[in-house]
Amino acid sequence: MITNPRVLEDDTPPQEIVHREGQITHLESVLEPLQRGQRVNGAFIYGPTGAGKTCTAEFLLDELAESADVETHLIDCWPNSTFTAVCRRLLEGLGEVYQPNTPTDELTMQIREAIDKPYVVVLDEADQLADQTILHELHQNPQVTMLLVANRHDEFYSHLDQGVHSRLVNYRDVEFRRYRDDELVAILVDRVESGVRPGAISDARLREIAEAADGDARVAIGILRNALETASARGASTVDHGTVLEVVPSARREILQKTFSKLTRDQRVLYQILVEAGEQRMGEIQAAYRERVDDPSARRTLTRHLKKMAHYDLVGFDGENSARRYWAATDELYPETA
DNA sequence: GATCCACAGGAAGGGTTGGGGG
DNA sequence: CCCCCAACCCTTCCTGTGGATC
């Protein structure tokens, strides 16, 4: 049934980017002066997960690298949130040797010297940067064009310090909204055409998958793959309605599991507490946490964890200051660890 | 409306870790 | 093998603010 498993992985780039023409045109026009060797400030790309931000950014980088004399690079700031970590990725991308324990000002100099022609860098998950010095540094380099990618526009800008903020004012904003169902169907069709035996899955099934995915392309592709694998394991020749409905939870759980695996012990305990107790305030969470852990971390650390988990969409919260309440975003129990 | 409380989140300092050089 | 240094994560301290209470 599946002829090319690779195209059913959510991190495989699509044959062609569908339904992002507006954003692509906009970004191309922003980057266009690079073709004539002129300086370009950059852009701020924002929207929910699974809306095609990273995918589109990668596409633009490839396109640029082919058409103009520019160096391009994409850095995921989620695992590279510190100044040094980003510098390290930058240097590696520039073909330089990164020497551990180099003082930060030397790293800065090394990067300045290594950038000897126009350089376009995508900082994916830019809202995860713990230190904004790198934004400052890259911005003031006339050779560098930054494409910043994050989930929420206002949240990102409000966390910038004044100096950086005022410099990014003239960055162009490019919004990616959730995909509509018909757009998700088009994305799935693209995958099916290049990786699935013709006739194995009908348009009606693809539409059901799109509806269940709730605007998230990554989820949609996950459901598609699960449905095909399940049907084919049963020896069926086509995917039926029941199979789609049946695999939705496991496809979602699969994505959740990936996220779970990145959590620390403290984060797992916090999540468990929220699943079991429902909506909680910080004081209650901390009390429950202290009962379960021998060497509890401080309150400040816990709020940091919760914030981070909220970014993963594992935890939700609402309210300001003393009115704040946290809850688990799903009711999926943390898988037992041996 | 004054006061207190609970909390968020910034800033600064310390402990720990790990690589490099003597 | 030991010391130094940088990084990084955590803690402590602090300020600001919304909500509750009287």
Side-chain angles (χ1 to χ4, degrees), chain A residues 19 25 29 68 104-105 220 260 282 297 306:
Chain A
H19 293 297
T25 313
S29 75
T104 52
D105 50 345
F260 276 143
M282 193 57 214
S297 296
L306 288 167

Side-chain angles (χ1 to χ4, degrees), chain A residues 55-190:
Chain A
C55 191
T56 302
E58 275 171 336
F59 168 79
L60 285 164
L61 288 189
D62 288 347
E63 199 178 57
L64 255 183
E66 280 176 25
S67 66
D69 186 26
V70 294
E71 194 92 34
T72 65
H73 201 42
L74 183 139
I75 298 174
D76 182 1
C77 300
W78 182 265
N80 300 291
S81 62
T82 64
F83 179 81
T84 12
V86 176
C87 286
R88 177 182 183 162
R89 298 295 159 217
L90 281 168
L91 287 171
E92 285 170 358
L94 290 160
E96 294 281 309
V97 177
Y98 166 78
Q99 194 73 22
N101 293 325
T102 312
T104 52
D105 50 345
E106 280 177 38
L107 278 178
T108 308
M109 286 313 297
Q110 199 185 347
I111 288 171
R112 280 186 200 171
E113 282 164 21
I115 298 176
D116 52 6
K117 64 170 171 177
Y119 185 67
V120 180
V121 61
V122 174
L123 294 181
D124 202 1
E125 310 262 15
D127 48 355
Q128 291 305 303
L129 286 173
D131 184 346
Q132 295 163 23
T133 320
I134 193 70
L135 295 179
H136 194 269
E137 170 60 26
L138 290 175
H139 177 81
Q140 70 181 20
N141 189 327
Q143 302 264 47
V144 175
T145 299
M146 280 194 284
L147 298 178
L148 303 170
V149 181
N151 285 44
R152 279 177 278 274
H153 179 277
D154 295 348
E155 199 177 303
F156 179 74
Y157 275 98
S158 64
H159 284 93
L160 293 177
D161 37 74
Q162 205 51 49
V164 180
H165 193 286
S166 61
R167 285 175 170 79
L168 301 190
V169 181
N170 46 7
Y171 273 45
R172 304 284 274 288
D173 289 334
V174 182
E175 184 185 6
F176 283 62
R177 15 160 215 84
R178 310 181 81 75
Y179 285 112
R180 296 194 314 263
D181 288 353
D182 58 320
E183 295 171 337
L184 281 181
V185 169
I187 288 169
L188 293 174
V189 166
D190 174 78

Side-chain angles (χ1 to χ4, degrees), chain A residues 36-50:
Chain A
R36 302 191 302 274
Q38 292 172 3
R39 175 178 188 180
V40 173
N41 256 333
F44 178 62
I45 296 170
Y46 65 99
T49 24

